[in-house]
Amino acid sequence: MKTYPLAALGTLSIILSACSSEDADNATNADSLLTADWDAIQDTAQGQEVNMYMWGGSDNINNYLDEWVAPRIKQDYGIELNRVPMNDAQDIINQLLDEKIAGKTDGSMDIIWINGENFKAAKDNDLLWGDFTGQLPNFNDYVNADAPEVSEDFGEPVEGLEAPWGKAQFVLVHDENQYEDPPKSMSELADWVKQNPGQFTYPAPPDFTGSAFIRQVLYETTGGHVQYQQPAADIENLEERLEPMWQYLNSIEPYLWREGETYPESLAKQDQLFASGEIAMTMSYDPALAASEVLKGRFPESTRTFILNGGTLANTHFLSIPFNASDKAGALVAINELMSPAAQTAKLSPENWGDLTALDLEKLSPEQQLAMNEVDLGEATLSIEELEQNRLPELSSEYIDIIEEGWTEHVAKE
Amino acid sequence: MWRKSKPYLLLLPASFTIILLFFGGIFDGLLKSFGYFPAIGETGLNLTAYDRLLHSSDFWQSMALTLRVAALSSLISAIIGAFLAVALFFVNNSTKKAIPRPWQRLFQLPLTIPHLVAGYMVVLIFTQSGFVSRLLATVGWIDGMTEFPVLVNDSFGWGIILTYAWKEAPFVALMLYPVLSRIHGSWRDVSRVFGAGPWQFIREVVVPVIMPAWTIATFIVFVFTFSAFEVPFLLGVTYPSVLPVYSYQLYTSGTLSDRPEALAVNMILAAITILLGLVAYYVSKRWNVLKGWG
């Protein structure tokens, strides 16, 4: 009995001491991985357990990773892929930042799923491992590294710190049985909202999709996106320039769901309102989301997506490896696998996810191209050509911060 | 020596962990709220974050909302909980038997459900397109979903209060029932002899007996609802938000410079909670709750 407390103390001290002899080896090995040849990397990766931290708010995406990707990676490379759901990519960055401050060198995150909103913060704070994309065979074979949507992420140079995983584009969602001709511009939308009070709303920022809708308004009400391709600090009259956007949002506010007194706190809530018929429109940064919701029976069969005549925001989303990942070799192999034509083709199907591919179709073999083109995107999804022809670039993340804070100030409080 | 200190030694690992994580977290938050943030090159201590908070109308709006929601939630829970406990006590007294199990289980049900789930349940049941609204529309009591009153995401906070009342009332009842069960059955008979009706009995005997425990239970509910996040996040409105949600919004706004303010909100929450705790402790000491009575 006497030994019990001592044993407990001993155990506790072991748990609390995050110190192991492997750390030093890891650091040296890790940097050699950036130059090692691919076979050596695959050998090192054997038997590693790779934790993939990502936004976990979509059943489809989660199932695609758990049911389609993980078993294949386990079988072909002997790597355990663990999906760790996070509420928001920002939480990933916050945690990494805290680990960096605390000097934690054996982090639990091996792969993180981020995009421009968080990439800049991660890059500025040195939270990412290094220039690794050149090591991936699938990146070298199938990706056009010079294309602007791959070399830049929300206007921030990528520099090999993250690998493109897929492309997304902002679309609006409606039920064609209810309203046949959806509004095709922001001014038409304003008229539509006033004619159909209570039928439209958008998720409150910092929700990713709601924030994208506001940027969409910004582009159309303040004279296009080109002016915002420079640092925010260089625009002297930024406040005045943003004014028409706030005016627009305030002009439609009284006609929104609940008279604009409140906004859905997440896209999930907004989709719920759409599914139960409380509102007539929802939106998505995922062109095939509506199709997969129809497949699941949540949205009505007559659900369709549409874009605006002036084009809609599009971006590439990326996978990266944090500075303190414990299993970097496994992470490299897993990311390479996620970028393989087979995995990308499966990802394109609304049954799995419906996410557009990050690969360059021109670089695929004829069979691979055929497989991609044969994927049925579902009635609700627009054709890839139509989406491609109407892409608008994203803003740099400093603007997003300004807009999200401004929205609370100018719109939510009014 | 060993005999005396043994229980303390056995508790050491657990208490060490709690102290390390709990006070460590609070200390870290306190430092950051004073602007100590090496990651962005801030190593000085100042009160800027508190100053900015106390001068922002957002903060005071949030504070007012949080106090209102917490006060109403805890009051309603306290009343319903006491009512439940007393009702159970009378049922028990008249039947001279233990409460049948199914009843007990029914009252304990809300205790087993996490707050997040309870919040979602309220959303699904009480939104304008929710279960109740559809039911009424089908029966024909209301013409369409827009006629159904706005109970969720309303600016007053009814949705939040409703959820907490349902969740915490059984907790209050659970705290009161053991105290009530110590009232001897003969007291009721004695009170009858002196001509007291049931209401007088409740007023003169039951209420004084449960008062101390009732105060404590209500206080616990108040402190919890004052600093909880998930229910207001799901059921609140975009603006103003309750303090914990406000802190979360500041913390996740993407700019690191807002973090000291977010943590300052948390520190203010903690300070108010501690202050209220001291008040409750003082009150309970005066009433000798801690000595129990037997």
Side-chain angles (χ1 to χ4, degrees), chain A residues 269, chain B residues 69-70 72-78 80-81 107 109-127 150-154 156-172 221 224-225 228-236:
Chain A
K269 176 70 98 30
Chain B
V69 166
L72 279 171
S73 303
S74 44
L75 269 177
I76 295 175
S77 312
I80 299 177
F107 288 126
L109 179 74
L111 292 169
T112 61
I113 291 176
H115 280 88
L116 192 69
V117 177
Y120 260 115
M121 276 170 43
V122 168
V123 169
L124 292 174
I125 295 170
F126 291 106
T127 41
V150 174
L151 292 172
V152 176
N153 302 110
D154 59 304
F156 189 85
W158 285 119
I160 308 169
I161 294 165
L162 187 77
T163 313
Y164 280 141
W166 181 77
K167 262 290 298 149
E168 314 310 342
F171 166 77
V172 175
V221 172
F224 179 83
T225 49
F229 165 83
E230 61 273 60
V231 172
F233 181 69
L234 277 176
L235 305 171

Coordinates of all heavy atoms in Angstrom, one line a residue, chain A residues 269, chain B residues 69-70 72-78 80-81 107 109-127 150-154 156-172 221 224-225 228-236:
Chain A
K269 N -26.2 25.2 -39.8 CA -27.5 25.8 -39.3 C -28.3 26.3 -40.6 O -29.5 26.1 -40.7 CB -27.3 26.9 -38.3 CG -28.5 27.6 -37.8 CD -29.5 26.8 -37.0 CE -29.4 26.9 -35.5 NZ -29.0 28.1 -34.8
Chain B
V69 N -29.5 36.5 -18.9 CA -29.8 35.1 -19.2 C -29.4 34.1 -18.0 O -30.2 33.3 -17.7 CB -28.9 34.6 -20.4 CG1 -28.9 33.1 -20.6 CG2 -29.5 35.3 -21.7
A70 N -28.3 34.4 -17.4 CA -27.9 33.5 -16.2 C -28.9 33.7 -15.1 O -29.3 32.7 -14.5 CB -26.5 33.9 -15.8
L72 N -32.1 34.7 -15.1 CA -33.4 34.1 -15.4 C -33.3 32.6 -15.4 O -34.2 31.9 -14.9 CB -33.9 34.6 -16.7 CG -34.6 36.0 -16.7 CD1 -34.9 36.5 -18.0 CD2 -35.9 35.9 -15.9
S73 N -32.2 32.1 -16.1 CA -32.1 30.6 -16.1 C -32.0 30.0 -14.7 O -32.7 29.0 -14.5 CB -30.8 30.2 -16.9 OG -30.8 30.7 -18.2
S74 N -31.2 30.6 -13.9 CA -31.1 30.0 -12.6 C -32.3 30.2 -11.7 O -32.7 29.3 -11.0 CB -29.8 30.6 -11.9 OG -29.8 31.9 -12.0
L75 N -33.0 31.3 -11.9 CA -34.2 31.5 -11.1 C -35.3 30.5 -11.5 O -35.9 29.8 -10.7 CB -34.8 32.9 -11.3 CG -34.3 34.0 -10.3 CD1 -34.8 35.3 -10.7 CD2 -34.7 33.6 -8.9
I76 N -35.5 30.4 -12.8 CA -36.5 29.4 -13.3 C -36.2 28.0 -12.9 O -37.0 27.2 -12.5 CB -36.7 29.6 -14.9 CG1 -37.3 31.0 -15.1 CG2 -37.7 28.5 -15.4 CD1 -37.4 31.3 -16.6
S77 N -34.9 27.6 -13.1 CA -34.5 26.3 -12.7 C -34.7 26.1 -11.2 O -35.2 25.0 -10.8 CB -33.0 26.1 -12.9 OG -32.6 26.4 -14.2
A78 N -34.4 27.1 -10.4 CA -34.6 27.0 -9.0 C -36.0 26.8 -8.6 O -36.4 25.9 -7.8 CB -34.1 28.2 -8.3
I80 N -38.6 25.7 -10.6 CA -39.1 24.4 -11.1 C -38.5 23.2 -10.3 O -39.2 22.3 -9.9 CB -38.8 24.2 -12.6 CG1 -39.5 25.3 -13.4 CG2 -39.2 22.8 -13.1 CD1 -39.2 25.2 -14.9
G81 N -37.2 23.3 -10.0 CA -36.5 22.3 -9.3 C -37.1 22.1 -7.9 O -37.3 21.0 -7.4
F107 N -37.1 12.0 -14.0 CA -36.6 13.3 -13.6 C -35.1 13.4 -13.7 O -34.5 14.4 -13.8 CB -37.0 13.6 -12.1 CG -38.4 13.9 -12.0 CD1 -39.3 13.2 -11.1 CD2 -39.0 14.9 -12.7 CE1 -40.6 13.5 -11.0 CE2 -40.4 15.2 -12.6 CZ -41.2 14.5 -11.7
L109 N -33.5 12.1 -16.2 CA -33.2 12.0 -17.7 C -32.4 13.2 -18.1 O -31.3 13.1 -18.8 CB -34.4 11.8 -18.5 CG -34.2 11.8 -20.0 CD1 -33.6 10.4 -20.4 CD2 -35.5 12.0 -20.7
P110 N -32.9 14.5 -17.9 CA -32.1 15.6 -18.4 C -30.7 15.7 -17.9 O -29.8 16.2 -18.5 CB -32.9 16.8 -17.9 CG -34.3 16.3 -17.6 CD -34.1 14.9 -17.2
L111 N -30.4 15.1 -16.7 CA -29.1 15.1 -16.1 C -28.1 14.4 -17.0 O -26.9 14.7 -17.0 CB -29.0 14.6 -14.7 CG -29.8 15.4 -13.7 CD1 -29.9 14.6 -12.4 CD2 -29.0 16.7 -13.4
T112 N -28.6 13.4 -17.7 CA -27.7 12.5 -18.4 C -27.4 13.0 -19.8 O -26.5 12.5 -20.5 CB -28.3 11.1 -18.6 OG1 -29.5 11.3 -19.4 CG2 -28.6 10.4 -17.3
I113 N -28.1 14.1 -20.2 CA -27.9 14.6 -21.6 C -26.9 15.7 -21.6 O -27.1 16.7 -20.8 CB -29.3 15.0 -22.2 CG1 -30.1 13.7 -22.4 CG2 -29.1 15.7 -23.5 CD1 -31.5 14.0 -22.9
P114 N -25.9 15.7 -22.5 CA -24.9 16.8 -22.5 C -25.6 18.1 -23.0 O -26.6 18.1 -23.7 CB -23.9 16.3 -23.6 CG -24.2 14.9 -23.8 CD -25.6 14.6 -23.4
H115 N -25.0 19.2 -22.6 CA -25.6 20.5 -22.9 C -25.7 20.7 -24.4 O -26.7 21.3 -24.9 CB -24.8 21.6 -22.3 CG -25.2 21.8 -20.8 ND1 -24.6 21.1 -19.8 CD2 -26.1 22.6 -20.2 CE1 -25.1 21.5 -18.7 NE2 -26.0 22.4 -18.9
L116 N -24.7 20.3 -25.1 CA -24.6 20.5 -26.5 C -25.8 19.8 -27.2 O -26.5 20.4 -28.1 CB -23.3 19.9 -27.1 CG -23.0 20.3 -28.5 CD1 -22.7 21.8 -28.6 CD2 -21.7 19.5 -29.0
V117 N -26.0 18.6 -26.8 CA -27.1 17.8 -27.3 C -28.5 18.5 -27.0 O -29.4 18.6 -27.8 CB -27.1 16.3 -26.8 CG1 -28.3 15.5 -27.3 CG2 -25.8 15.7 -27.2
A118 N -28.6 18.9 -25.7 CA -29.8 19.6 -25.3 C -30.1 20.8 -26.2 O -31.2 21.1 -26.6 CB -29.7 20.0 -23.9
G119 N -29.0 21.5 -26.5 CA -29.1 22.7 -27.3 C -29.6 22.4 -28.7 O -30.6 23.0 -29.2
Y120 N -29.1 21.3 -29.3 CA -29.5 20.9 -30.6 C -31.0 20.4 -30.6 O -31.7 20.7 -31.5 CB -28.6 19.8 -31.2 CG -27.6 20.3 -32.2 CD1 -26.3 20.3 -31.9 CD2 -28.1 20.9 -33.4 CE1 -25.4 20.8 -32.8 CE2 -27.2 21.4 -34.3 CZ -25.8 21.4 -34.0 OH -24.9 21.9 -34.9
M121 N -31.3 19.7 -29.5 CA -32.7 19.2 -29.4 C -33.7 20.4 -29.4 O -34.7 20.4 -30.1 CB -32.9 18.4 -28.1 CG -32.4 17.0 -28.3 SD -32.4 16.1 -26.7 CE -33.8 16.5 -25.9
V122 N -33.3 21.4 -28.7 CA -34.2 22.6 -28.6 C -34.3 23.3 -30.0 O -35.4 23.7 -30.4 CB -33.7 23.6 -27.5 CG1 -34.4 25.0 -27.7 CG2 -33.9 23.0 -26.2
V123 N -33.2 23.3 -30.7 CA -33.2 23.8 -32.1 C -34.2 23.0 -32.9 O -35.1 23.6 -33.6 CB -31.8 23.8 -32.7 CG1 -31.9 24.1 -34.2 CG2 -30.9 24.8 -32.1
L124 N -34.0 21.7 -32.9 CA -34.8 20.9 -33.8 C -36.3 20.9 -33.4 O -37.2 20.8 -34.2 CB -34.3 19.4 -33.7 CG -33.0 19.2 -34.4 CD1 -32.5 17.8 -34.2 CD2 -33.0 19.6 -35.9
I125 N -36.6 21.1 -32.1 CA -38.0 21.0 -31.7 C -38.7 22.4 -31.7 O -39.8 22.5 -32.1 CB -38.1 20.5 -30.2 CG1 -37.6 19.0 -30.2 CG2 -39.5 20.5 -29.7 CD1 -37.4 18.4 -28.9
F126 N -38.0 23.5 -31.4 CA -38.6 24.7 -31.2 C -38.3 25.8 -32.3 O -38.8 26.9 -32.1 CB -38.3 25.3 -29.8 CG -39.0 24.5 -28.7 CD1 -38.2 23.7 -27.9 CD2 -40.3 24.6 -28.5 CE1 -38.8 23.0 -26.9 CE2 -40.9 23.9 -27.5 CZ -40.2 23.1 -26.7
T127 N -37.5 25.5 -33.3 CA -37.4 26.6 -34.4 C -38.7 26.7 -35.1 O -39.6 25.9 -34.9 CB -36.4 26.2 -35.5 OG1 -36.5 24.9 -35.8 CG2 -35.0 26.5 -35.0
V150 N -41.0 33.0 -32.2 CA -39.5 32.9 -32.3 C -39.0 32.5 -31.0 O -38.9 33.4 -30.1 CB -38.9 34.2 -32.9 CG1 -37.4 34.0 -32.9 CG2 -39.4 34.4 -34.3
L151 N -38.6 31.3 -30.8 CA -38.1 30.9 -29.4 C -36.6 30.5 -29.5 O -36.0 30.4 -28.4 CB -38.9 29.6 -29.0 CG -40.4 29.8 -28.7 CD1 -41.0 28.5 -28.4 CD2 -40.5 30.7 -27.4
V152 N -36.1 30.4 -30.7 CA -34.7 30.0 -30.8 C -34.0 31.1 -31.5 O -34.5 31.6 -32.5 CB -34.6 28.6 -31.5 CG1 -33.1 28.3 -31.7 CG2 -35.2 27.6 -30.7
N153 N -32.7 31.4 -31.2 CA -32.0 32.5 -31.8 C -32.8 33.8 -31.7 O -32.9 34.6 -32.6 CB -31.6 32.3 -33.2 CG -30.8 31.0 -33.4 OD1 -31.3 30.0 -33.9 ND2 -29.6 31.0 -33.0
D154 N -33.5 34.0 -30.5 CA -34.2 35.3 -30.4 C -33.3 36.2 -29.6 O -32.5 35.8 -28.8 CB -35.5 35.0 -29.6 CG -35.2 34.4 -28.3 OD1 -34.5 33.3 -28.2 OD2 -35.6 35.0 -27.2
F156 N -33.9 38.0 -27.0 CA -34.0 38.1 -25.6 C -33.3 36.9 -24.9 O -32.7 37.0 -23.8 CB -35.5 38.0 -25.1 CG -35.7 38.2 -23.7 CD1 -35.8 39.5 -23.2 CD2 -35.7 37.1 -22.8 CE1 -36.0 39.7 -21.8 CE2 -35.9 37.3 -21.4 CZ -36.0 38.6 -20.9
G157 N -33.2 35.8 -25.6 CA -32.5 34.7 -25.1 C -33.4 33.6 -24.5 O -33.0 32.7 -23.8
W158 N -34.6 33.6 -24.9 CA -35.6 32.6 -24.4 C -35.1 31.1 -24.7 O -35.3 30.3 -23.9 CB -37.0 32.8 -25.0 CG -37.7 33.9 -24.4 CD1 -38.2 35.0 -25.0 CD2 -38.0 34.1 -23.0 NE1 -38.7 35.9 -24.1 CE2 -38.7 35.3 -22.8 CE3 -37.8 33.3 -21.8 CZ2 -39.1 35.8 -21.6 CZ3 -38.2 33.8 -20.6 CH2 -38.9 35.0 -20.5
G159 N -34.6 31.0 -25.9 CA -34.1 29.6 -26.3 C -33.1 29.1 -25.3 O -33.1 27.9 -24.9
I160 N -32.1 30.0 -24.9 CA -31.1 29.6 -24.0 C -31.7 29.3 -22.6 O -31.4 28.3 -22.0 CB -30.0 30.7 -23.9 CG1 -29.5 31.2 -25.3 CG2 -28.9 30.3 -23.0 CD1 -28.7 32.4 -25.3
I161 N -32.6 30.2 -22.2 CA -33.2 30.1 -20.9 C -34.0 28.8 -20.8 O -33.9 28.0 -19.8 CB -34.0 31.3 -20.6 CG1 -33.1 32.5 -20.4 CG2 -34.8 31.1 -19.3 CD1 -33.9 33.8 -20.5
L162 N -34.7 28.5 -21.8 CA -35.5 27.3 -21.9 C -34.7 26.0 -21.8 O -35.0 25.1 -21.0 CB -36.2 27.3 -23.3 CG -37.3 26.2 -23.5 CD1 -38.5 26.5 -22.8 CD2 -37.5 26.1 -25.0
T163 N -33.6 26.0 -22.5 CA -32.7 24.8 -22.5 C -32.1 24.7 -21.1 O -32.1 23.5 -20.5 CB -31.5 25.0 -23.4 OG1 -32.0 25.4 -24.7 CG2 -30.7 23.7 -23.6
Y164 N -31.6 25.8 -20.5 CA -31.0 25.6 -19.1 C -32.1 25.3 -18.1 O -31.8 24.5 -17.2 CB -30.4 27.0 -18.7 CG -29.0 27.2 -19.3 CD1 -28.6 28.4 -19.8 CD2 -28.1 26.1 -19.4 CE1 -27.3 28.6 -20.4 CE2 -26.9 26.3 -20.0 CZ -26.5 27.5 -20.4 OH -25.3 27.7 -21.0
A165 N -33.3 25.8 -18.2 CA -34.3 25.5 -17.2 C -34.6 24.0 -17.3 O -34.7 23.3 -16.2 CB -35.6 26.3 -17.5
W166 N -34.7 23.5 -18.5 CA -35.0 22.0 -18.6 C -33.8 21.2 -18.1 O -34.0 20.1 -17.5 CB -35.2 21.7 -20.1 CG -35.6 20.3 -20.4 CD1 -36.8 19.7 -20.1 CD2 -34.7 19.3 -20.9 NE1 -36.7 18.3 -20.5 CE2 -35.4 18.1 -21.0 CE3 -33.4 19.3 -21.4 CZ2 -34.9 16.9 -21.5 CZ3 -32.8 18.2 -21.9 CH2 -33.6 17.0 -21.9
K167 N -32.6 21.7 -18.4 CA -31.4 20.9 -18.0 C -31.1 21.0 -16.5 O -30.7 20.0 -15.9 CB -30.2 21.4 -18.7 CG -29.7 20.8 -19.9 CD -29.1 19.5 -20.0 CE -27.8 19.3 -19.3 NZ -27.6 17.9 -18.8
E168 N -31.3 22.2 -15.9 CA -30.8 22.4 -14.5 C -31.8 22.1 -13.5 O -31.5 21.9 -12.3 CB -30.2 23.8 -14.3 CG -29.2 24.2 -15.4 CD -28.1 23.3 -15.8 OE1 -27.8 22.3 -15.0 OE2 -27.6 23.4 -16.9
A169 N -33.1 22.2 -13.8 CA -34.2 22.0 -12.8 C -34.0 20.7 -12.1 O -34.0 20.6 -10.8 CB -35.6 22.1 -13.4
P170 N -33.8 19.6 -12.8 CA -33.6 18.3 -12.1 C -32.3 18.3 -11.2 O -32.3 17.6 -10.2 CB -33.4 17.3 -13.2 CG -33.9 17.9 -14.4 CD -33.8 19.4 -14.3
F171 N -31.3 19.1 -11.6 CA -30.1 19.2 -10.8 C -30.5 19.8 -9.4 O -30.1 19.4 -8.4 CB -29.1 20.0 -11.5 CG -27.9 20.4 -10.7 CD1 -26.9 19.6 -10.3 CD2 -27.9 21.8 -10.2 CE1 -25.9 20.0 -9.5 CE2 -26.8 22.2 -9.4 CZ -25.8 21.3 -9.0
V172 N -31.3 20.9 -9.5 CA -31.7 21.6 -8.3 C -32.5 20.6 -7.4 O -32.3 20.5 -6.2 CB -32.5 22.8 -8.6 CG1 -33.1 23.5 -7.3 CG2 -31.6 23.9 -9.3
V221 N -25.9 26.8 -10.4 CA -26.5 26.9 -11.7 C -26.2 28.3 -12.3 O -25.9 28.4 -13.5 CB -28.1 26.7 -11.7 CG1 -28.7 27.0 -13.0 CG2 -28.4 25.3 -11.2
F224 N -22.6 28.4 -13.5 CA -22.5 27.6 -14.7 C -23.0 28.3 -15.9 O -22.3 28.4 -17.0 CB -23.2 26.2 -14.5 CG -23.0 25.3 -15.8 CD1 -21.9 24.6 -16.0 CD2 -24.0 25.3 -16.7 CE1 -21.7 23.8 -17.1 CE2 -23.9 24.5 -17.9 CZ -22.7 23.8 -18.1
T225 N -24.3 28.8 -15.8 CA -24.9 29.4 -17.0 C -24.2 30.7 -17.4 O -24.2 31.1 -18.5 CB -26.4 29.7 -16.8 OG1 -26.5 30.3 -15.5 CG2 -27.2 28.4 -16.7
A228 N -20.9 29.3 -19.4 CA -21.0 28.2 -20.3 C -21.1 28.8 -21.8 O -21.6 29.9 -22.0 CB -22.1 27.3 -20.1
F229 N -20.6 28.0 -22.7 CA -20.4 28.5 -24.1 C -21.4 27.8 -25.1 O -22.0 28.5 -25.9 CB -19.0 28.2 -24.5 CG -18.7 28.3 -26.0 CD1 -18.5 29.6 -26.5 CD2 -18.7 27.2 -26.8 CE1 -18.3 29.7 -27.9 CE2 -18.5 27.4 -28.1 CZ -18.3 28.6 -28.7
E230 N -21.5 26.5 -25.0 CA -22.1 25.8 -26.2 C -23.6 26.2 -26.4 O -24.0 26.4 -27.5 CB -21.9 24.3 -26.1 CG -22.5 23.6 -24.9 CD -21.6 23.6 -23.7 OE1 -21.3 24.7 -23.2 OE2 -21.3 22.5 -23.2
V231 N -24.4 26.3 -25.3 CA -25.8 26.5 -25.5 C -26.1 27.9 -26.1 O -26.8 28.1 -27.1 CB -26.6 26.3 -24.2 CG1 -28.0 26.8 -24.3 CG2 -26.6 24.8 -23.9
P232 N -25.4 29.0 -25.5 CA -25.6 30.3 -26.2 C -25.1 30.4 -27.6 O -25.6 31.1 -28.4 CB -24.8 31.3 -25.2 CG -24.7 30.5 -24.0 CD -24.7 29.1 -24.3
F233 N -24.0 29.6 -27.9 CA -23.4 29.7 -29.2 C -24.5 29.1 -30.2 O -24.6 29.7 -31.3 CB -22.2 28.9 -29.2 CG -21.5 28.8 -30.6 CD1 -20.9 30.0 -31.1 CD2 -21.5 27.7 -31.4 CE1 -20.3 30.0 -32.3 CE2 -20.8 27.7 -32.6 CZ -20.3 28.8 -33.1
L234 N -25.2 28.1 -29.8 CA -26.1 27.5 -30.7 C -27.4 28.3 -30.8 O -28.1 28.3 -31.8 CB -26.5 26.0 -30.3 CG -25.5 24.9 -30.7 CD1 -26.0 23.7 -30.0 CD2 -25.5 24.8 -32.2
L235 N -27.9 28.8 -29.6 CA -29.2 29.3 -29.5 C -29.3 30.8 -29.4 O -30.3 31.4 -29.3 CB -29.9 28.7 -28.3 CG -30.0 27.2 -28.3 CD1 -30.5 26.7 -27.0 CD2 -30.8 26.6 -29.5
G236 N -28.1 31.5 -29.4 CA -28.1 32.9 -29.2 C -28.3 33.7 -30.5 O -28.5 33.1 -31.5

